[in-house]
Amino acid sequence: MRSPKDFFAPLAVGAPEPLREIPAPPSRMIHFFDPGNEKMTAKLPALAPKVDVLLGNLEDAVRADRKEAARRGLVEVAKTVDFGTTQLWTRINSLDSPWVLDDLITLVTEIGDKLDVIMVPKVEGAPDIHYVDRLLAQLEARAGLRRPLLVHAILETASGVANVEEIAGASPRMQGISLGPADLAASRRMKTTRVGGGHPGYLVRSDPVGDDLSTGRTTYQQDLWHYTVARMVDACAANGILPYYGPFGDIRDVVACEDQFRNAFLLGCVGAWSLHPAQIEIAKKVFSPAPEEVAWARRVIEAMGDGTGAVMIDGKMQDDASVKQCRVVVELADALAARDPELAKAYKG
Ligand SMILES: CC(=O)SCCNC(=O)CCNC(=O)[C@H](O)C(C)(C)COP(=O)(O)OP(=O)(O)OC[C@H]1O[C@@H](n2cnc3c(N)ncnc32)[C@H](O)[C@@H]1OP(=O)(O)O
Ligand SMILES: O=CC(=O)O
Ligand SMILES: [Mg+2]
């Protein structure tokens, strides 16, 4: 850990000054594409206005013999596609892989001015972030970049979860953290075989009535990810960075995907990954607060005046704490309205 005095000092001579606050433009969906897949990249100009973030994925889901094509494809896409105000992110290969060094050197040197955030997979602890932090500073200085690249960690190893607080605070570049349920399940030796979502075997059962153990006992499926998402949200909020739910692999099951995303939204996440075009609208719906919630929040703020004291609205007590929650909802709605004219209309009532 750097000394507090040096925390905001550039890590290489000539590297841009680190940011003191993480920008938080809407990032409801981080839409993954394989930059080596021409069918997917051909869709990017049409997709860009529909998503908040486009992410060129170089890691898992890209075959080993397509890694270089994906890297080259991302450079090409970044140089030729007009992304408008949509952010461009990338997911590099893992730090122990044979590809990551070339990923970082090529991307920062050739398109460092086009990229907003670099997602680092399989982060185990703060030393992984410190390594990337210093290397990025050296590459930024050499490329003459004026704006620091931000770093996003995937929480997908048991060590990463154990060290999530130190990861969140490891560098001023830390933009956010995503839950990676697939790798995390493998790292923890969980006995699931899915990419995110629940499992019917993970449940609680109501007590028996009398001696009959087998009938009339309702079961409730539980959320496998609750503990990790909640811990990640606290680590992020405590360090001024943004938490995200990651992938939901059952593309066909749009209903359960929406539930998983909504649980994350309600717990404090700002977005989730979309792996397929079908998941973009789900993320948009879930991570944009409902117009009725926004209208209610505005009503509470209005009734609370300077934000202190207590009032009753529709039989519900409101005070300093509930008005703060309402401000979170209204600030999000205002930021989304500035990006999306349809939402701007819906939020006006
Ligand atoms: C655990 C993790 O690490 S998750 C993150 C890594 N995984 C990924 O990034 C996966 C990204 N997504 C994909 O690769 C694909 O969506 C797949 C393999 C899951 C499914 O792809 P397909 O079998 O082609 O799906 P499907 O036939 O429904 O696609 C419909 C169209 O959408 C396109 N499409 C599919 N996914 C995407 C995408 N993510 N972005 C843009 N276009 C896409 C397809 O190319 C196809 O185009 P076409 O109509 O011109 O033929
Ligand atoms: O990378 C994501 C995951 O779930 O693993
Ligand atoms: Mg993973």
Side-chain angles (χ1 to χ4, degrees), residues 32 59-60 91 119 121-122 154-156 178-185 194-196 246-247 273:
F32 274 57
E59 199 224 9
D60 293 357
R91 177 169 81 168
M119 185 183 274
K122 301 178 178 64
I154 310 182
L155 195 60
E156 55 180 352
S178 286
L179 172 73
D183 271 301
L184 183 55
R194 302 169 172 208
V195 175
W273 301 1

Tab-separated table of all heavy atoms in Angstrom, residues 32 59-60 91 119 121-122 154-156 178-185 194-196 246-247 273, ligand 2:
chain	number	residue	atom	x	y	z
A	32	PHE	N	-20.335	-7.067	-23.690
A	32	PHE	CA	-19.155	-7.802	-24.145
A	32	PHE	C	-19.236	-8.135	-25.635
A	32	PHE	O	-20.283	-8.587	-26.105
A	32	PHE	CB	-19.031	-9.122	-23.369
A	32	PHE	CG	-18.292	-9.003	-22.060
A	32	PHE	CD1	-18.717	-8.115	-21.086
A	32	PHE	CD2	-17.174	-9.784	-21.806
A	32	PHE	CE1	-18.039	-7.995	-19.876
A	32	PHE	CE2	-16.483	-9.676	-20.602
A	32	PHE	CZ	-16.917	-8.776	-19.635
A	59	GLU	N	-10.148	-11.978	-23.005
A	59	GLU	CA	-9.843	-13.112	-22.107
A	59	GLU	C	-10.755	-14.318	-22.389
A	59	GLU	O	-10.999	-14.652	-23.569
A	59	GLU	CB	-9.964	-12.638	-20.645
A	59	GLU	CG	-9.253	-13.548	-19.627
A	59	GLU	CD	-10.077	-13.823	-18.387
A	59	GLU	OE1	-11.267	-13.480	-18.343
A	59	GLU	OE2	-9.525	-14.432	-17.441
A	60	ASP	N	-11.246	-14.953	-21.357
A	60	ASP	CA	-12.068	-16.168	-21.485
A	60	ASP	C	-13.213	-15.919	-22.476
A	60	ASP	O	-13.774	-14.821	-22.524
A	60	ASP	CB	-12.646	-16.563	-20.121
A	60	ASP	CG	-11.551	-17.017	-19.153
A	60	ASP	OD1	-10.371	-17.070	-19.559
A	60	ASP	OD2	-11.878	-17.295	-17.993
A	91	ARG	N	-11.347	-6.079	-21.638
A	91	ARG	CA	-10.929	-7.041	-20.612
A	91	ARG	C	-9.669	-7.698	-21.130
A	91	ARG	O	-9.713	-8.397	-22.157
A	91	ARG	CB	-12.025	-8.075	-20.340
A	91	ARG	CG	-11.569	-9.123	-19.315
A	91	ARG	CD	-12.698	-10.017	-18.811
A	91	ARG	NE	-13.012	-11.097	-19.713
A	91	ARG	CZ	-13.787	-12.136	-19.385
A	91	ARG	NH1	-14.340	-12.211	-18.177
A	91	ARG	NH2	-14.057	-13.078	-20.252
A	119	MET	N	-10.357	-3.757	-17.736
A	119	MET	CA	-10.850	-4.739	-16.764
A	119	MET	C	-9.791	-5.826	-16.600
A	119	MET	O	-9.321	-6.398	-17.584
A	119	MET	CB	-12.164	-5.329	-17.292
A	119	MET	CG	-12.838	-6.273	-16.342
A	119	MET	SD	-14.341	-6.971	-17.088
A	119	MET	CE	-15.569	-5.748	-16.696
A	121	PRO	N	-8.890	-9.465	-15.044
A	121	PRO	CA	-9.542	-10.648	-14.481
A	121	PRO	C	-8.706	-11.301	-13.371
A	121	PRO	O	-7.514	-11.035	-13.241
A	121	PRO	CB	-9.634	-11.594	-15.688
A	121	PRO	CG	-8.512	-11.200	-16.577
A	121	PRO	CD	-8.254	-9.726	-16.338
A	122	LYS	N	-9.383	-12.127	-12.581
A	122	LYS	CA	-8.739	-13.025	-11.610
A	122	LYS	C	-7.781	-12.307	-10.669
A	122	LYS	O	-6.698	-12.802	-10.359
A	122	LYS	CB	-8.038	-14.172	-12.358
A	122	LYS	CG	-9.047	-14.966	-13.200
A	122	LYS	CD	-8.455	-16.082	-14.019
A	122	LYS	CE	-9.490	-16.863	-14.806
A	122	LYS	NZ	-10.230	-16.158	-15.860
A	154	ILE	N	-12.049	-7.903	-11.641
A	154	ILE	CA	-13.115	-8.911	-11.524
A	154	ILE	C	-12.859	-9.690	-10.236
A	154	ILE	O	-11.735	-10.143	-9.969
A	154	ILE	CB	-13.160	-9.879	-12.722
A	154	ILE	CG1	-13.149	-9.124	-14.045
A	154	ILE	CG2	-14.421	-10.742	-12.629
A	154	ILE	CD1	-13.248	-10.026	-15.273
A	155	LEU	N	-13.936	-9.807	-9.438
A	155	LEU	CA	-13.869	-10.531	-8.170
A	155	LEU	C	-14.269	-11.966	-8.466
A	155	LEU	O	-15.447	-12.293	-8.548
A	155	LEU	CB	-14.859	-9.878	-7.196
A	155	LEU	CG	-14.715	-10.234	-5.734
A	155	LEU	CD1	-13.349	-9.850	-5.212
A	155	LEU	CD2	-15.803	-9.550	-4.923
A	156	GLU	N	-13.264	-12.813	-8.671
A	156	GLU	CA	-13.589	-14.169	-9.154
A	156	GLU	C	-12.598	-15.210	-8.666
A	156	GLU	O	-12.468	-16.275	-9.265
A	156	GLU	CB	-13.688	-14.178	-10.685
A	156	GLU	CG	-12.484	-13.645	-11.419
A	156	GLU	CD	-12.653	-13.690	-12.944
A	156	GLU	OE1	-13.626	-14.264	-13.452
A	156	GLU	OE2	-11.761	-13.140	-13.636
A	178	SER	N	-16.393	-6.033	-10.596
A	178	SER	CA	-17.522	-6.876	-11.012
A	178	SER	C	-17.408	-8.240	-10.347
A	178	SER	O	-16.302	-8.795	-10.259
A	178	SER	CB	-17.489	-7.140	-12.522
A	178	SER	OG	-17.863	-6.018	-13.264
A	179	LEU	N	-18.554	-8.784	-9.971
A	179	LEU	CA	-18.570	-10.179	-9.516
A	179	LEU	C	-18.409	-11.090	-10.728
A	179	LEU	O	-19.138	-10.938	-11.715
A	179	LEU	CB	-19.903	-10.492	-8.838
A	179	LEU	CG	-20.090	-11.977	-8.504
A	179	LEU	CD1	-19.213	-12.396	-7.341
A	179	LEU	CD2	-21.552	-12.294	-8.206
A	180	GLY	N	-17.485	-12.039	-10.650
A	180	GLY	CA	-17.318	-13.050	-11.699
A	180	GLY	C	-17.730	-14.411	-11.151
A	180	GLY	O	-16.893	-15.183	-10.675
A	181	PRO	N	-19.034	-14.734	-11.217
A	181	PRO	CA	-19.519	-15.927	-10.511
A	181	PRO	C	-18.996	-17.245	-11.078
A	181	PRO	O	-18.931	-18.240	-10.344
A	181	PRO	CB	-21.045	-15.839	-10.655
A	181	PRO	CG	-21.272	-14.991	-11.866
A	181	PRO	CD	-20.131	-14.029	-11.921
A	182	ALA	N	-18.621	-17.262	-12.362
A	182	ALA	CA	-18.214	-18.550	-12.956
A	182	ALA	C	-16.839	-18.961	-12.448
A	182	ALA	O	-16.655	-20.060	-11.899
A	182	ALA	CB	-18.237	-18.441	-14.480
A	183	ASP	N	-15.860	-18.077	-12.584
A	183	ASP	CA	-14.531	-18.413	-12.071
A	183	ASP	C	-14.521	-18.507	-10.555
A	183	ASP	O	-13.781	-19.314	-9.979
A	183	ASP	CB	-13.498	-17.374	-12.542
A	183	ASP	CG	-12.895	-17.769	-13.880
A	183	ASP	OD1	-12.299	-18.852	-13.951
A	183	ASP	OD2	-13.033	-17.009	-14.854
A	184	LEU	N	-15.335	-17.661	-9.917
A	184	LEU	CA	-15.358	-17.708	-8.452
A	184	LEU	C	-15.881	-19.058	-7.967
A	184	LEU	O	-15.351	-19.636	-7.014
A	184	LEU	CB	-16.204	-16.556	-7.898
A	184	LEU	CG	-16.265	-16.449	-6.385
A	184	LEU	CD1	-14.879	-16.360	-5.762
A	184	LEU	CD2	-17.104	-15.251	-5.956
A	185	ALA	N	-16.900	-19.575	-8.637
A	185	ALA	CA	-17.443	-20.887	-8.249
A	185	ALA	C	-16.350	-21.955	-8.375
A	185	ALA	O	-16.193	-22.811	-7.497
A	185	ALA	CB	-18.642	-21.237	-9.125
A	194	ARG	N	-22.617	-23.637	-13.657
A	194	ARG	CA	-23.333	-22.570	-14.368
A	194	ARG	C	-22.525	-21.280	-14.388
A	194	ARG	O	-21.599	-21.126	-13.605
A	194	ARG	CB	-24.646	-22.273	-13.634
A	194	ARG	CG	-25.533	-23.476	-13.523
A	194	ARG	CD	-26.690	-23.218	-12.577
A	194	ARG	NE	-27.614	-24.344	-12.653
A	194	ARG	CZ	-28.905	-24.277	-12.423
A	194	ARG	NH1	-29.459	-23.132	-12.067
A	194	ARG	NH2	-29.663	-25.329	-12.535
A	195	VAL	N	-22.938	-20.359	-15.250
A	195	VAL	CA	-22.333	-19.017	-15.260
A	195	VAL	C	-23.322	-18.072	-14.583
A	195	VAL	O	-24.226	-17.514	-15.206
A	195	VAL	CB	-22.015	-18.565	-16.701
A	195	VAL	CG1	-21.503	-17.127	-16.720
A	195	VAL	CG2	-20.981	-19.492	-17.335
A	196	GLY	N	-23.166	-17.919	-13.261
A	196	GLY	CA	-24.044	-17.036	-12.493
A	196	GLY	C	-25.423	-17.631	-12.291
A	196	GLY	O	-25.705	-18.775	-12.683
A	246	GLY	N	-21.736	-9.423	-12.630
A	246	GLY	CA	-21.071	-9.821	-13.872
A	246	GLY	C	-21.978	-10.557	-14.840
A	246	GLY	O	-23.058	-10.068	-15.202
A	247	PRO	N	-21.594	-11.757	-15.280
A	247	PRO	CA	-22.335	-12.436	-16.342
A	247	PRO	C	-23.473	-13.318	-15.832
A	247	PRO	O	-23.395	-13.898	-14.758
A	247	PRO	CB	-21.249	-13.332	-16.962
A	247	PRO	CG	-20.346	-13.662	-15.820
A	247	PRO	CD	-20.340	-12.461	-14.914
A	273	TRP	N	-23.072	-7.161	-16.658
A	273	TRP	CA	-22.564	-7.448	-18.004
A	273	TRP	C	-23.713	-7.916	-18.893
A	273	TRP	O	-24.600	-8.638	-18.445
A	273	TRP	CB	-21.520	-8.561	-17.967
A	273	TRP	CG	-20.320	-8.300	-17.108
A	273	TRP	CD1	-20.061	-7.200	-16.344
A	273	TRP	CD2	-19.211	-9.193	-16.921
A	273	TRP	NE1	-18.862	-7.358	-15.700
A	273	TRP	CE2	-18.311	-8.560	-16.026
A	273	TRP	CE3	-18.879	-10.464	-17.403
A	273	TRP	CZ2	-17.117	-9.155	-15.621
A	273	TRP	CZ3	-17.696	-11.056	-16.997
A	273	TRP	CH2	-16.823	-10.405	-16.131
B	2	LIG	O1	-15.418	-13.674	-15.766
B	2	LIG	C1	-16.452	-13.890	-15.229
B	2	LIG	C2	-16.752	-15.059	-14.491
B	2	LIG	O2	-17.894	-15.189	-14.028
B	2	LIG	O3	-15.839	-15.900	-14.374
